[in-house]
Amino acid sequence: FAESAPKGSAQIVVGAATVCLPLGELIDLKAEEARLGKEIGKVAGDIEKISKKLANEKFVTNARPEIVEGEREKLAALNETRDKLSLALSQIREAG
């Protein structure tokens, strides 16, 4: 368990964990950068969707409390995933 990923490593975010696979010259850093960028875009879209739902007073008032809490938990998890993906992207950019 390291504080940071090795330079030039592929990184996969799975839930709260980030898995780093040092590949040296075996990976296409530009392709990995594109993959991470695409994943960040997908997560950002999900964050926006849930944020809008939680900003809707009618939803928050009418939905069962456990549903609202579940959406808040999803939002927190997505924000954490986005942050980890952003860090992975910056590290890939530094490696290239």
Side-chain angles (χ1 to χ4, degrees):
F1 297 95
E3 289 296 318
S4 63
K7 199 166 188 138
S9 66
Q11 298 171 37
I12 303 164
V13 177
V14 181
T18 301
V19 178
C20 301
L21 184 58
L23 297 175
E25 299 295 318
L26 299 177
I27 66 169
D28 180 348
L29 294 177
K30 290 295 180 192
E32 182 65 8
E33 182 178 348
R35 184 191 71 77
L36 288 168
K38 183 177 177 182
E39 188 66 24
I40 290 169
K42 179 185 176 300
V43 169
D46 292 343
I47 288 171
E48 182 178 350
K49 178 181 162 187
I50 292 174
S51 294
K52 284 182 181 179
K53 188 184 289 188
L54 290 171
N56 181 342
E57 273 189 53
K58 192 172 184 175
F59 169 76
V60 175
T61 303
N62 295 329
R64 294 191 317 249
E66 60 270 15
I67 300 283
V68 175
E69 184 59 30
E71 292 299 307
R72 288 184 176 134
E73 289 172 4
K74 282 185 208 175
L75 183 60
L78 286 167
N79 280 317
E80 185 176 329
T81 298
R82 182 200 55 210
D83 293 346
K84 288 183 179 195
L85 288 168
S86 295
L87 177 60
L89 181 59
S90 70
Q91 290 172 338
I92 287 294
R93 287 180 175 155
E94 288 174 10

